[in-house]
Amino acid sequence: MVRLNKFLRAFTHEGAPSRQLAPEQALQRTLLSCLLWEDQFYEDGVSVAERIKALVPQVAPREAAQLAVRAREEMKLRHAPLLVAREMARLPEHRALVAETLARIIQRPDEMTELLAIYWADSLGPQQQRRRQPVSAQVKKGLAKAFTKFDAYQLAKYDREGPVRLRDVLFLVHAKPRDAAQEAVWKQLAASELPSPDTWEVALSKGADKRASFERLLAEKRLGALALLRNLRLMREVGVPRATIAAAIETMRTDRILPYRFITAARHVLDFEPELEQAMLGAIKGYARLPGRTRLLIDVSGSMFAKLSAQSEMTRAEAACGLAILACEVCDEVEIFTFSDKVVKVPPRRGFALRDAILGSQPHSGTYLGRAVGEIDRKGDRLIVFTDEQSHDAVPSPKARGTMVNVASYQHGVGYGPWTRVDGFSEAVIAWIAAQEETLRGATLH
């Protein structure tokens, strides 16, 4: 539950009354939906990053570290957690936790080079090498520990051109290999002699026949789930048989794929909607259920249709649809509504049909969340709202169990007071709601 400073007031970008959060909750709000340095509908990416930098010193070291880990492991965000770790390294009281935090949040080799690029961003100039500031001992220790996670294939795959290379990281941190085999791999990396990885990017860049390359990679299971989703359209264009692609979708791992990724993929290859929908719904089977009656309220106002990032075609509205599809599967009884200028009840559909019903339910205009809550909230029901919280009007307290799922990084929102607010658009937010309610039920029984 969010604790608030009751003496300071604030307002959303559309003018609804908000509240000034304590630093830890403000960092959580900004961080857990943050695609670093990406502009949003109301705020540019630089201002969001600067807010993270300003908040880290105000948050207790352990809490800042835990938020960075949550952002990476639960919300699957890559860049923003690195910025938190970098800011922690500036602070004497936070610095002791930097090594263990980096070892947790670095899950791909290129995140080590990205961390150093962030670390040196303040000092880079025409004479970059001479102006780079020394890297703190805790950062080196964390990078050294992270380096041991990766095998030859991973290092070769992510050893990309740029101001910082993986071999630079290796020389800087003096990591100790686990065994002789890893030591041999590192010597190859240092000498720029690692064999090229057998990835779809490498295969296609060598000029090989695209269809043959994709068919081989699929047969050998060398195309990860995210790469498969991203390349569905290209595989169809070059003539990979439909049955081959369908079989790959059916057997791919989906445990690290966010629901909105399937929505993005289906947008480009409509004829694979049945397979993609089955994979998306299949990934939900193990989720904890939400008993009782639930009402979902989904924001389809204009600001929700800004893209998640400059490189993405996905909008926050579609990310909210992914969460709604997930929530619909785990709720015992559910009714679904959208809001913008008015409230519209959506037919009880599943999967992509639910997405279509949500997005087409009404014009995408104002954000009258307060009016919508007042209209559909009722005693005895769980109310879950998916929104960027930039309401025009004041939002009343929920009549029963009200959860505000915030899918943006804006400084001020409305999901406070009696509302339980969750930040982020990972599938983890639904699991979090279920876990919180189970904890409350257990406390009540005892």
Side-chain angles (χ1 to χ4, degrees):
M1 186 71 67
V2 174
R3 295 184 180 276
L4 304 171
N5 183 335
K6 298 181 179 180
F7 301 100
L8 299 176
R9 296 191 66 196
F11 298 89
T12 69
H13 287 282
E14 290 293 353
S18 180
R19 300 184 186 180
Q20 195 77 19
L21 289 174
E24 181 184 345
Q25 284 74 38
L27 180 59
Q28 173 180 302
R29 175 180 177 80
T30 301
L31 179 64
L32 296 188
S33 302
C34 179
L35 301 178
L36 194 59
W37 291 302
E38 295 289 351
D39 293 348
Q40 300 181 65
F41 188 85
Y42 293 104
E43 295 179 4
D44 63 77
V46 172
S47 66
V48 174
E50 291 301 317
R51 186 159 66 247
I52 291 174
K53 292 180 182 181
L55 286 168
V56 170
Q58 303 177 53
V59 176
R62 181 61 62 182
E63 282 69 27
Q66 289 173 348
L67 282 173
V69 171
R70 280 189 61 198
R72 185 67 184 99
E73 294 184 349
E74 296 178 18
M75 300 305 165
K76 300 179 176 62
L77 300 172
R78 292 182 50 233
H79 307 291
L82 296 175
L83 180 61
V84 172
R86 193 278 168 269
E87 295 306 308
M88 290 175 63
R90 300 182 192 269
L91 307 166
E93 64 275 23
H94 291 64
R95 202 170 292 148
L97 297 176
V98 167
E100 65 179 73
T101 303
L102 285 175
R104 290 279 298 274
I105 66 177
I106 291 176
Q107 298 180 13
R108 277 179 27 175
D110 58 338
E111 290 166 3
M112 296 186 291
T113 59
E114 290 173 13
L115 183 277
L116 288 179
I118 292 172
Y119 195 97
W120 286 323
D122 296 339
S123 58
L124 292 180
Q127 297 177 313
Q128 291 184 2
Q129 295 294 336
R130 278 184 277 176
R131 298 185 59 188
R132 284 175 176 172
Q133 61 190 105
V135 176
S136 74
Q138 280 288 313
V139 170
K140 288 183 179 180
K141 184 178 177 181
L143 289 173
K145 190 172 182 179
F147 220 108
T148 62
K149 295 181 181 181
F150 307 116
D151 58 24
Y153 176 87
Q154 293 168 308
L155 292 172
K157 179 178 179 179
Y158 291 105
D159 187 24
R160 297 165 177 164
E161 295 290 340
V164 185
R165 297 288 297 270
L166 286 176
R167 65 195 299 270
D168 300 326
V169 181
L170 184 62
F171 294 150
L172 175 70
V173 303
H174 304 295
K176 293 182 179 180
R178 292 191 308 267
D179 49 37
Q182 188 168 71
E183 183 179 9
V185 168
W186 289 2
K187 286 181 177 178
Q188 288 180 302
L189 175 64
S192 299
E193 295 175 352
L194 275 177
S196 295
D198 189 12
T199 65
W200 66 272
E201 297 102 328
V202 171
L204 299 184
S205 67
K206 289 182 176 179
D209 179 83
K210 290 183 173 61
R211 172 176 171 173
S213 295
F214 276 127
E215 289 180 349
R216 178 182 63 80
L217 291 167
L218 290 173
E220 297 174 359
K221 299 188 183 302
R222 292 183 175 272
L223 205 63
L226 192 55
L228 175 62
L229 293 178
R230 286 174 173 170
N231 283 283
L232 287 176
R233 179 169 55 181
L234 179 56
M235 283 190 280
R236 290 296 280 157
E237 289 174 353
V238 301
V240 177
R242 189 190 191 288
T244 300
I245 300 173
I249 295 173
E250 183 179 352
T251 58
M252 72 180 183
R253 286 185 58 183
T254 59
D255 56 316
R256 294 178 65 85
I257 306 299
L258 301 178
Y260 72 84
R261 299 286 190 186
F262 294 98
I263 294 176
T264 302
R267 176 192 291 175
H268 297 300
V269 282
L270 295 177
D271 53 333
F272 280 101
E273 273 203 357
E275 290 84 1
L276 290 169
E277 182 176 73
Q278 183 176 357
M280 178 174 62
L281 296 178
I284 299 169
K285 289 181 179 178
Y287 273 74
R289 297 198 62 80
L290 293 175
R293 298 192 305 267
T294 303
R295 289 191 153 196
L296 304 180
L297 180 60
I298 301 150
D299 187 347
V300 293
S301 63
S303 62
M304 289 287 286
F305 287 82
K307 293 180 180 179
L308 289 177
S309 73
Q311 303 301 317
S312 173
E313 297 182 25
M314 178 60 56
T315 67
R316 282 185 165 75
E318 289 168 314
C321 286
L323 291 175
I325 290 169
L326 171 57
C328 192
E329 294 298 310
V330 301
C331 293
D332 284 350
E333 299 178 49
V334 63
E335 292 180 278
I336 305 164
F337 303 82
T338 67
F339 76 93
S340 180
D341 284 344
K342 59 182 180 178
V343 177
V344 174
K345 189 169 185 177
V346 176
R349 297 174 181 169
R350 300 180 68 204
F352 294 133
L354 177 57
R355 169 208 60 189
D356 296 340
I358 290 170
L359 297 181
S361 60
Q362 64 176 298
H364 313 308
S365 185
T367 314
Y368 290 95
L369 175 54
R371 182 192 306 165
V373 169
E375 187 171 330
I376 75 160
D377 192 20
R378 64 187 184 189
K379 292 181 179 179
D381 286 5
R382 175 192 299 107
L383 176 62
I384 303 176
V385 183
F386 300 108
T387 177
D388 63 4
E389 294 192 74
Q390 299 309 296
S391 181
H392 290 281
D393 53 353
V395 177
S397 297
K399 295 177 180 177
R401 296 164 291 173
T403 300
M404 193 82 68
V405 180
N406 170 46
V407 297
S409 298
Y410 302 127
Q411 184 173 10
H412 301 300
V414 293
Y416 305 128
W419 288 94
T420 297
R421 204 187 75 252
V422 187
D423 296 291
F425 43 80
S426 162
E427 75 282 3
V429 302
I430 304 298
W432 187 90
I433 294 170
Q436 286 293 104
E437 292 191 0
E438 183 64 28
T439 300
L440 291 174
R441 282 195 295 271
T444 302
L445 291 175
H446 290 85

